[in-house]
Amino acid sequence: MARIKTTQDISRKEVITEAAATLFKEKGYKAASMRDLAEQVGVEAASLYNHIKSKSELLHNICVQVANDFWEHIHEVENKKCTGVEKVEAILRYHIREMITNYEKVYVSDREWKHLTEPYLSNFHTQRREYRKKVASIIEQGIHKGEIKPIDAPTAVLIILHAVSGIDSWHRSKQKISAAELEANMVTILIDGLRK
Amino acid sequence: MARIKTTQDISRKEVITEAAATLFKEKGYKAASMRDLAEQVGVEAASLYNHIKSKSELLHNICVQVANDFWEHIHEVENKKCTGVEKVEAILRYHIREMITNYEKVYVSDREWKHLTEPYLSNFHTQRREYRKKVASIIEQGIHKGEIKPIDAPTAVLIILHAVSGIDSWHRSKQKISAAELEANMVTILIDGLRK
DNA sequence: CTCAAAAACTAACATTTGTAAGTATGTAGC
DNA sequence: GCTACATACTTACAAATGTTAGTTTTTGAG
């Protein structure tokens, strides 16, 4: 009888969730079946239900975990004593690093959250909007202080956050530059684009 | 008996394709059912098959149409006599405008092409890669001529193209700035970020 | 070794899916 | 009005899906 491999640190539920993230990223939430997922962890589909409640719970857990990480981080940034540009740069760098180290989950949270069920869908949506407002507000402060060009803040947010999701292509790229170089390049282009 | 509304210029197949684009954008290709689509055009699901061959043909048509538009445009740009920065700006502006005027189809082509079937999937994938190479090559020329900062060109491409897909948020935004302002802001941030 | 708990299995289910076959209805030219 | 064609409808089906129920196997503590 096949068993889901675990270590002391990582529960079977976590193993399943990790595999789900990879699968959801590759095929999309809807196209990924529980039988696919079961095969990935080396077990029959029904066996998964000894560890999880439902498919949608998997997506939910992924999205919540990612959302909380970003939520926590932006609060730290808000309380920092530094310039607006520096704050934006810190946020950007965090997004880049998360997208590199935590790829599958961040990707899934970003592209598949539409398939969350209520009330989690509304919660997620709201938190996402709030997050963007926070970033926009930091940018606006920077504009007022003359550090940042007089641009439309929501547009800047949109550019920065979506640009990061392009790291997807970097992951798939054969001859890739290092993660550090990638980060440096992205910061150069985007932060210089903002700076006055 | 309900009938699909048409004008002289637009065939029933086109009506269905437009509705499909909207539906695929909202729910995702996999989650959008033919019964959903049928309801949208005011007809029974099976009736759609008098006009189309299959669900996947709809996605295929959408993706091909969008891909061809961009493909054609970049060839025009390549043959233009102007600086590299101007070429990149032209490409960026085209992307922005397409994302604004041709929203649903461009969005679907961008996010749902993974669900294309072979051999169309491979073709699309290849063309997409070639397209990005072309843009990267334009940027590299600009770097050599000293118009553009010495950055990693593929990274710049990734940023620009993905930033545009953020226009999605702009469409959903309640109190949006005008399309012209949006374009101006995006060009300011991104092109200034590239320029030396 | 024993035994309870954990984790796997098999079998089955109700739905939903894309689509085919056959039939009815609407429409346009004669 | 008649005919032919386009377009719709009804019915049906096979495959795939998420999930439950019930059973067997494995594991680890005493």
Side-chain angles (χ1 to χ4, degrees), chain A residues 4 41 51 62 66-67 97 108 112 131 138 148 161 176 188:
Chain A
I4 298 177
V41 297
H51 308 282
I62 291 168
V66 172
R97 284 172 194 167
V108 168
E112 305 292 333
Y131 183 88
I138 291 174
I148 294 177
L161 300 192
K176 41 183 159 205
T188 299

Side-chain angles (χ1 to χ4, degrees), chain B residues 22-174:
Chain B
T22 303
L23 201 65
F24 292 169
K25 178 192 83 44
E26 276 169 10
K27 314 189 72 170
Y29 175 74
K30 269 286 175 180
S33 78
M34 295 304 278
R35 284 166 180 83
D36 285 340
L37 178 55
E39 192 177 16
Q40 211 77 26
V41 299
V43 102
E44 290 301 314
S47 306
L48 297 172
Y49 289 83
N50 287 315
H51 308 283
I52 63 163
K53 232 185 66 195
S54 67
K55 184 186 182 185
S56 71
E57 188 208 11
L58 286 170
L59 180 61
H60 173 60
N61 285 344
I62 291 168
C63 290
V64 164
Q65 188 188 311
V66 172
N68 286 347
D69 287 350
F70 281 101
W71 195 248
E72 204 175 310
H73 180 261
I74 202 166
H75 278 114
E76 285 174 22
V77 170
E78 282 177 325
N79 295 328
K80 261 189 187 166
K81 293 280 179 210
C82 64
T83 68
V85 177
E86 282 166 345
K87 282 181 185 175
V88 177
E89 183 173 329
I91 292 167
L92 173 59
R93 285 187 189 274
Y94 186 75
H95 273 260
I96 295 171
R97 284 172 194 167
E98 280 295 300
M99 190 66 181
I100 287 171
T101 60
N102 217 4
Y103 181 34
E104 284 85 3
K105 287 184 181 176
V106 174
Y107 183 95
V108 168
S109 167
D110 207 45
R111 313 276 272 232
E112 305 292 333
W113 62 270
K114 282 185 206 170
H115 298 105
L116 286 169
T117 53
E118 293 291 356
Y120 309 116
L121 177 60
S122 293
N123 291 344
F124 189 90
H125 202 197
T126 303
Q127 196 177 357
R128 189 180 166 91
R129 245 197 318 259
E130 287 304 312
Y131 183 87
R132 290 183 179 194
K133 271 192 202 164
K134 284 175 184 295
V135 181
S137 146
I138 291 173
I139 291 178
E140 253 152 19
Q141 286 173 240
I143 295 174
H144 273 120
K145 289 191 187 159
E147 309 164 18
I148 295 178
K149 273 182 219 158
I151 41 152
D152 180 58
T155 302
V157 173
L158 159 174
I159 289 177
I160 292 174
L161 300 192
H162 278 82
V164 172
S165 80
I167 292 177
D168 181 29
S169 310
W170 175 81
H171 269 108
R172 280 201 266 266
S173 160
K174 297 290 173 196

Side-chain angles (χ1 to χ4, degrees), chain A residues 147-163:
Chain A
E147 310 162 19
I148 294 177
K149 274 183 217 156
I151 41 154
D152 180 57
T155 303
V157 173
L158 158 175
I159 289 177
I160 292 173
L161 300 192
H162 279 81

Side-chain angles (χ1 to χ4, degrees), chain A residues 92 95-96 99 159-168 186 190:
Chain A
L92 173 59
H95 274 260
I96 295 171
M99 190 67 180
I159 289 177
I160 292 173
L161 300 192
H162 279 81
V164 172
S165 81
I167 292 177
D168 183 28
M186 293 192 75
L190 289 169

Side-chain angles (χ1 to χ4, degrees), chain A residues 34-50:
Chain A
M34 294 305 277
R35 284 165 181 84
D36 287 339
L37 177 56
E39 193 177 15
Q40 212 76 26
V41 297
V43 104
E44 289 301 314
S47 307
L48 297 172
Y49 289 84
N50 286 317

Side-chain angles (χ1 to χ4, degrees), chain A residues 73-93 137-143 145 147-148 191 195:
Chain A
H73 180 261
I74 201 165
H75 278 113
E76 287 174 22
V77 170
E78 281 178 326
N79 294 328
K80 261 188 188 167
K81 291 280 175 211
C82 63
T83 68
V85 177
E86 282 166 342
K87 283 181 184 175
V88 177
E89 185 174 329
I91 292 168
L92 173 59
R93 285 187 190 276
S137 147
I138 291 174
I139 292 178
E140 252 153 20
Q141 286 174 240
I143 295 173
K145 291 193 186 156
E147 310 162 19
I148 294 177
I191 300 299
R195 219 189 304 261

